[in-house]
Amino acid sequence: MVHGKEIVIEGRVAWVFGDNFDIDLVIGMENLSERDPRKLAELCMVKFEPEFRDKVKTGDIVVGGRNFGYGHAHPQSLTALKKVGIRAIVAESFSPPFYRGETSGGFILIDCKGIVNCANRWNLLRVDLVNGVLTNITTGTRLSSEKPVAPVIQRIRSGGVYNYVLEKLSIR
Amino acid sequence: MTLVEKILARSAGQERVHPGEIVYVIVDVAMTQDILGALAFPAFRELGVPVWDRDKIVMIIDHCAPPSTLLQAGYVVENIRFAEDYGIKHFYKMKGVCHQLLPEEGFVKPGAVIVGTDSHTTTYGALGAFSTGIGSTEMVWVFAKGNLWLRVPETIRVEINGRLQPMVMAKDVMLKILSLIGTNGANYKTLEYGGQVVRDMSMDGRLTLCNMAVEAGAKSGIIEVDERTQSYLEGRVRGEIEVLKSDPDTSYSRILQMNVDDLVPQVACPHSPANVVPVGDVIGQKVDQVLIGTCTGGRLEDFRMAARLIQEKRISSKVRCLVIPASARIYLEMLEEGLLKVFAEAGCILSNPQCGPCAGVQHGLLGDGEVCVSTSNRNFIGRMGSTKAKIYLASPATAAAAAVAGELVDPRDLEGGK
C-alpha cells in the first residue's frame, strides 16, 4: 500500500461473495457478541472454509457482488477480516450504510462494476483508488473503479475519521 | 428543487444544490441511543474537546431500558457519565424509544438537519426534516464539529392515492411500497411520500412510513409540511413552523404511483422487509409470539387499533403477546383511555417503553423454531434471538389478530374488526 498523493493497493483475491452479502455471516450471527479480536480471527470465515485463516496473508482482498454489506452490519466481521490480514473489499456495489460506516473508519472499499466476472480466487489485483483504475495482474484485465468522493479519500488517508478529526482540530 | 434539496441547500449555505453534489451541512440535532452512543463516547473523550453545542445533542437510553445484563448496565453507566461530564441536558433515561421521543419532545422542526446513531433516524422526515442515520465513528466527528458531509440524494416521489380500507394501516402501505421498490431500490435516495392518502394520514402513520424508508436503502424519508404537521407541532416547538414543500415543477428521479383502494393487509415474510405478500397468502401460519410496539408500531393509534381487535377476547394460549408503548407519555395515554386494561385482561404482557426484543436486545427473544409476528421494521435472520427463528412483519391490526387467533389471519375477518 502506498500513501501520499496516490492510494494504491495490491493483493490477492482471498474470496468471492455473491450479491446482497450480509457481512455478519463472516463470523456467524451467533457470535455477534464476541469482542476479542483474536477470538474473532479464529471464527473468521470458518463456515465458508475452515482453513481460510491459514491461506490468507496480509494485504489480501475480498471481492463481492452487488449491494455488499446489506443488513444490519455489526463491526465484528470487519474486525475479524482485518485481523486475518484483509486490507480492502472490491464489490459490484455496496450497501450505503456499510460503505459509509467502513470508509469512515478508514477501511478501503472499492466500487467496481464487472469485478465479479473479472476476478477469480487468488488472482492478484492492483487498484489505484484515487484515479479509479483496477488491474487484474494475473489475467491482464483492466476495469474502471468508482473514484471515491473527497471526504471518503480524506478519511482513508487519515486512517479513519477519528484521526481526521484530530488533524482538523489541530488546524483549528 | 425538491424539499430535501431545499433543506440541504439552506443548511450548506448555498442558493441551490444538485443531486450528487457533495455538501457540508450544519447539524441541528444529533441524537445518540444508548448502545451506539456508548461506542462513540470513549473515542470522543480522547479528543479532549468539548461538544460543539450541548444544546443540539439529545441522548436516549432505550435499548437497555432497564438493563438486563452487566454489559448493558455498563452502557447505561457510560451514557450517564458522558451526559454529566459534557453537560448534556437533553438526556432521556428510559422514557421511551428515540424515534418517538424526538418528535414527541419537540426536537424535530421542519427544515432541520438531524442525524442519529440509529438506522431508523429517517423517522423524523415525517415532520419535514432531513433526517438520517450515521455510525458511531461519524458521530465523533459531529460531536466535535457540528457538521457533516453529504452527497445530495436524488428524490423518489411516492404518490399514494385512493382510500385505505378499514383495518388497513400505514404499515401495510409501507410494506407494499417495499415490495415494489425492494431493499436497495432507493439506495442513496430520499423517499418523498405524498398524495391524498398521506394528506389524510395521522402523524403516527406518517412516522411509520418514514421510519421504514431505510429498509428500501433510502438515505432519508420525507413528507411535506401541512396543517397536520402544524397541529402536531403546536405546543411542542417554539417559533414559527415553516410550511416546506417541494417545488411543483421539480424533477424527481422516479415517481411511483400507488392506489390503495384495493390494498389488503400485508406481511413481510422471513427474512427480509421487502419479502412482502398479502396476508391471505400466509393464513394459518402458526405463531408463538406477537410484538406490538417499537418505533414503527408502538404509538397510540397502533394500540387503539390493536385494542379494538383484542377487546373482550383472550389471546390464544399458544401465543405470548408483548405490548410495549413507544414512550412514557403514550403509556399514560393508554392508561387513561383504558387500553392497558384491555390488553391486561386479554392476557398480554405489558411492558415499559423500550426497544426490547425488536433488535434482539432483551425482553422477548425467540428460541429455535419459534415464529413471531411483529409491528417492528426488520426481520433479518437472528434479529430477535435465535438464527433458527422466523419473524413476520405486520401492522398492529394484523399482529393483534394473530395474537387472538394463535396464527396469522386477515384482521378484517376477525369478529370485532368489522
Side-chain angles (χ1 to χ4, degrees):
Chain A
M1 208 175 311
V2 176
H3 279 289
K5 268 188 88 178
E6 306 300 325
I7 302 174
V8 179
I9 58 154
E10 204 169 287
R12 308 170 310 164
V13 176
W15 197 267
V16 180
F17 291 105
D19 291 342
N20 298 308
F21 182 68
D22 185 337
I23 193 82
D24 286 350
L25 295 172
V26 163
I27 55 141
M29 301 289 180
E30 66 280 7
N31 295 313
L32 289 177
S33 50
E34 181 57 66
R35 292 155 100 200
D36 183 348
R38 282 163 304 175
K39 292 228 176 75
L40 288 170
E42 281 167 33
L43 292 165
C44 188
M45 295 290 287
V46 155
K47 291 202 180 127
F48 292 84
E49 181 183 73
E51 321 80 43
F52 180 86
R53 213 185 145 197
D54 301 317
K55 294 186 180 177
V56 167
K57 57 179 200 217
T58 302
D60 281 352
I61 295 172
V62 154
V63 167
R66 288 169 297 182
N67 208 29
F68 187 92
Y70 173 67
H72 182 0
H74 297 80
Q76 281 79 357
S77 289
L78 257 297
T79 304
L81 285 171
K82 287 181 214 173
K83 194 91 177 116
V84 304
I86 301 296
R87 287 295 171 265
I89 301 175
V90 184
E92 296 284 334
S93 63
F94 290 95
S95 160
F98 178 80
Y99 181 84
R100 184 146 179 157
E102 292 309 325
T103 54
S104 289
F107 192 74
I108 297 179
L109 298 182
I110 299 145
D111 215 304
C112 183
K113 292 206 180 6
I115 184 65
V116 165
N117 285 332
C118 139
N120 290 310
R121 200 175 182 202
W122 305 128
N123 284 172
L124 185 64
L125 301 182
R126 185 167 202 268
V127 187
D128 178 343
L129 190 73
V130 174
N131 295 311
V133 181
L134 182 148
T135 311
N136 184 330
I137 294 176
T138 307
T139 63
T141 317
R142 246 181 165 205
L143 292 172
S144 296
S145 55
E146 285 259 338
K147 297 179 195 179
V149 296
V152 169
I153 293 181
Q154 283 159 357
R155 281 147 179 79
I156 288 174
R157 280 223 175 88
S158 302
V161 75
Y162 176 72
N163 294 329
Y164 186 59
V165 170
L166 283 174
E167 289 165 25
K168 283 258 138 179
L169 288 176
S170 59
I171 292 167
R172 191 158 76 181
Chain B
M1 288 189 283
T2 64
L3 176 48
V4 163
E5 287 160 23
K6 289 183 183 181
I7 295 172
L8 296 182
R10 189 166 69 181
S11 184
Q14 291 176 208
E15 275 280 319
R16 58 175 309 129
V17 296
H18 301 276
E21 195 183 327
I22 303 290
V23 294
Y24 277 82
V25 294
I26 309 284
V27 171
D28 294 301
V29 178
M31 179 277 290
T32 62
Q33 35 93 322
D34 41 3
I35 298 186
L36 294 177
L39 284 182
F41 301 149
F44 183 77
R45 283 178 184 283
E46 281 180 34
L47 293 178
V49 298
V51 296
W52 101 98
D53 186 336
R54 67 181 70 165
D55 228 9
K56 293 187 175 170
I57 295 175
V58 184
M59 286 174 57
I60 312 269
I61 295 185
D62 56 5
H63 287 65
C64 308
S68 291
T69 65
L70 281 178
L71 183 64
Q72 289 171 19
Y75 290 143
V76 171
V77 168
E78 177 75 51
N79 273 255
I80 291 174
R81 294 232 173 94
F82 189 87
E84 272 168 12
D85 292 346
Y86 287 86
I88 310 297
K89 295 280 182 298
H90 307 306
F91 181 32
Y92 293 82
K93 220 180 340 178
M94 311 186 205
K95 292 277 195 291
V97 308
C98 53
H99 303 313
Q100 173 56 21
L101 285 175
L102 257 74
E104 195 180 89
E105 294 292 313
F107 291 106
V108 181
K109 275 183 99 160
V113 171
I114 305 179
V115 294
T117 56
D118 190 276
S119 314
H120 297 95
T121 306
T122 55
T123 305
Y124 320 134
L127 288 159
F130 176 83
S131 180
T132 194
I134 61 175
S136 305
T137 324
E138 282 220 83
M139 191 54 91
V140 175
W141 168 279
V142 173
F143 271 24
K145 307 282 285 165
N147 65 24
L148 190 75
W149 76 267
L150 282 174
R151 183 158 39 188
V152 176
E154 292 177 6
T155 299
I156 295 177
R157 171 90 180 173
V158 184
E159 273 284 320
I160 312 169
N161 288 302
R163 203 114 187 256
L164 287 174
Q165 290 182 37
M167 301 279 127
V168 178
M169 304 180 74
K171 180 68 168 284
D172 298 301
V173 176
M174 187 62 215
L175 290 178
K176 184 68 183 173
I177 292 171
L178 281 173
S179 76
L180 297 170
I181 292 187
T183 53
N184 55 345
N187 273 8
Y188 294 111
K189 301 188 177 149
T190 288
L191 281 178
E192 182 184 296
Y193 306 88
Q196 192 58 48
V197 172
V198 176
R199 283 194 287 280
D200 292 339
M201 197 179 268
S202 66
M203 191 50 70
D204 282 0
R206 296 178 184 193
L207 289 164
T208 300
L209 288 182
C210 290
N211 177 275
M212 288 188 78
V214 65
E215 302 311 325
K219 190 80 180 171
S220 82
I222 200 159
I223 294 175
E224 292 169 321
V225 178
D226 61 11
E227 301 81 41
R228 210 177 283 275
T229 328
Q230 289 173 307
S231 142
Y232 181 88
L233 289 172
E234 215 177 304
R236 290 188 218 262
V237 299
R238 266 171 284 166
E240 206 197 306
I241 292 159
E242 297 177 87
V243 180
L244 299 173
K245 296 186 194 293
S246 289
D247 290 333
D249 55 346
T250 194
S251 62
Y252 293 99
S253 123
R254 182 182 171 190
I255 301 180
L256 188 68
Q257 297 274 7
M258 275 177 75
N259 188 296
V260 298
D261 284 340
D262 297 325
L263 183 68
V264 302
Q266 308 282 305
V267 296
C269 302
H271 302 280
S272 163
N275 188 14
V276 173
V277 298
V279 71
D281 287 12
V282 289
I283 287 186
Q285 164 65 56
K286 293 216 175 0
V287 172
D288 302 292
Q289 173 165 293
V290 170
L291 167 57
I292 308 177
T294 79
C295 58
T296 318
R299 300 185 171 85
L300 197 57
E301 176 182 80
D302 303 315
F303 293 112
R304 283 177 178 156
M305 174 65 83
R308 269 179 68 187
L309 285 154
I310 286 182
Q311 194 148 277
E312 286 158 29
K313 299 190 181 71
R314 297 267 325 158
I315 59 163
S316 165
S317 55
K318 300 179 235 166
V319 168
R320 59 226 185 239
C321 181
L322 310 178
V323 168
I324 312 185
S327 74
R329 251 191 242 254
I330 292 171
Y331 193 100
L332 272 172
E333 285 168 343
M334 288 168 70
L335 179 65
E336 275 154 30
E337 283 188 24
L339 301 182
L340 293 185
K341 188 160 194 266
V342 167
F343 294 120
E345 282 178 345
C348 298
I349 299 169
L350 306 180
S351 149
N352 67 294
Q354 58 175 298
C355 303
C358 168
V361 175
Q362 61 180 11
H363 201 82
L365 304 198
L366 301 172
D368 291 353
E370 291 204 301
V371 175
C372 179
V373 178
S374 172
T375 64
S376 59
N377 48 38
R378 284 188 166 165
N379 58 350
F380 303 141
I381 296 176
R383 172 88 181 165
M384 286 175 64
S386 167
T387 54
K388 300 192 185 76
K390 293 183 184 175
I391 303 163
Y392 290 80
L393 303 177
S395 76
T398 307
V404 170
E407 57 189 36
L408 274 168
V409 294
D410 188 325
R412 301 169 302 168
D413 294 337
L414 207 70
E415 198 188 71
K418 298 219 166 94

